[in-house]
Amino acid sequence: MVLNIPVKQIMSKQLVTLTEKNSLYDAEKLFKKHKIRHLPVVEDHKLVGVLSYSDLLKISYADVTEGEEDVEAVVYDMFSIVQVMAKAPVTVTTETPLKEVIQQLIQQTFHSLPVIEENGDLVGIVTTTDLLEYFLKNA
């Protein structure tokens, strides 16, 4: 198992993304449709934030009132993508070695890291699932 290979060899390249104009309803649909937990938020191919499924869960339970029938509808109308997303996500480049990616994930307690090129364009995302699949395949 080689930990010095660049992350570009295992990152997910088929990105599902949001823009700041999308709604939290859009985000929830994408999470469920694609069975993913992290959505990069982009503007002109540049990363401006990351929204995680756990971010949606946190706000869904934040303002729960007794007897509320459709909590998500009420809460999703109260917030925007910009208000909920992580606005300064930690990133790695395509050449970042896996060992460094793993160290970042451990230190930051994240479950994904957006992968950018030197010009700042988003080109991928690496998740704990990507890493586990790599380790399983190379065990």
Side-chain angles (χ1 to χ4, degrees), residues 47-96:
L47 182 70
V48 295
V50 173
L51 182 71
S52 71
Y53 189 65
S54 61
D55 294 333
L56 284 187
L57 292 177
K58 288 175 192 171
I59 65 165
S60 293
Y61 294 111
D63 290 334
V64 174
T65 57
E66 199 168 318
E68 187 63 56
E69 302 233 346
D70 194 0
V71 174
E72 283 84 9
V74 172
V75 174
Y76 288 0
D77 289 336
M78 291 172 54
F79 295 98
S80 69
I81 295 287
V82 175
Q83 291 173 305
V84 180
M85 72 181 189
K87 294 173 187 67
V90 174
T91 62
V92 293
T93 68
T94 55
E95 297 302 319
T96 303

Side-chain angles (χ1 to χ4, degrees), residues 11-120:
M11 70 183 188
S12 299
K13 296 173 187 143
Q14 299 297 322
L15 295 174
V16 179
T17 63
L18 294 168
T19 69
E20 293 177 339
K21 293 179 176 102
N22 285 112
S23 70
L24 294 176
Y25 296 103
D26 297 333
E28 183 177 30
K29 287 177 191 171
L30 289 173
F31 283 129
K32 290 179 179 178
K33 178 181 178 184
H34 297 281
K35 297 179 180 160
I36 56 177
R37 296 172 291 168
H38 308 94
L39 287 166
V41 182
V42 295
E43 183 178 315
D44 298 325
H45 304 287
K46 305 289 187 219
L47 182 70
V48 295
V50 173
L51 182 71
S52 71
Y53 189 65
S54 61
D55 294 333
L56 284 187
L57 292 177
K58 288 175 192 171
I59 65 165
S60 293
Y61 294 111
D63 290 334
V64 174
T65 57
E66 199 168 318
E68 187 63 56
E69 302 233 346
D70 194 0
V71 174
E72 283 84 9
V74 172
V75 174
Y76 288 0
D77 289 336
M78 291 172 54
F79 295 98
S80 69
I81 295 287
V82 175
Q83 291 173 305
V84 180
M85 72 181 189
K87 294 173 187 67
V90 174
T91 62
V92 293
T93 68
T94 55
E95 297 302 319
T96 303
L98 285 189
K99 183 176 182 177
E100 191 175 318
V101 169
I102 293 166
Q103 289 169 331
Q104 283 286 343
L105 290 170
I106 290 169
Q107 290 170 355
Q108 305 294 335
T109 66
F110 298 144
H111 296 281
S112 72
L113 289 168
V115 182
I116 59 172
E117 291 183 330
E118 289 187 23
N119 66 2

Side-chain angles (χ1 to χ4, degrees), residues 1-3 98 102 130-139:
M1 188 171 346
V2 182
L3 292 179
L98 285 189
I102 293 166
D130 295 325
L131 289 164
L132 290 171
E133 286 174 350
Y134 168 75
F135 293 141
L136 187 60
K137 183 177 172 183
N138 292 288

